[in-house]
Amino acid sequence: MLPASLIGRFMTGLIAVGLVVMALFFLAFALAVVGIGAAAVTGRLWWLRRKLRAQRDANVIEGSFSVESGQLPEHISARPVGSPPDAQK
């Protein structure tokens, strides 16, 4: 229901524009808060995963070995890969 006078209509329009501007500022503020919160949660999860990965990798011993004498230990089979177990006999 619009006011009948010209000043009343002007004031109603001015109030409507003010409310729209306030709503846009509120929306921008709310999106900024959500974005900062999401960045904080993502950063925290990244930090925890990094810490857990470092703990997991701390228990790994890397190295290499070679068999120089040409003989394999008893528990390692010398048969070619893919051949059946009874192919040596």
Side-chain angles (χ1 to χ4, degrees), residues 2 7 13 21 32 37 40-41 47 50 52-53 60 67 70 80 84:
L2 289 176
I7 294 177
V21 168
V41 169
W47 189 262
R50 179 180 171 271
L52 289 174
R53 193 179 314 119
V60 174
V67 179

Side-chain angles (χ1 to χ4, degrees), residues 5-38:
S5 70
L6 185 61
I7 294 177
R9 288 183 181 181
F10 178 74
M11 292 302 288
T12 302
L14 197 60
I15 290 172
V17 169
L19 288 174
V20 168
V21 168
M22 285 177 39
L24 288 175
F25 275 107
F26 176 76
L27 179 65
F29 179 74
L31 288 175
V33 168
V34 168
I36 291 170

Side-chain angles (χ1 to χ4, degrees), residues 56-81:
R56 181 191 66 201
D57 292 345
N59 295 330
V60 174
I61 300 173
E62 294 185 12
S64 63
F65 72 95
S66 62
V67 179
E68 296 181 13
S69 67
Q71 295 178 351
L72 294 174
E74 294 178 12
H75 67 279
I76 298 177
S77 171
R79 65 182 167 84
V81 176

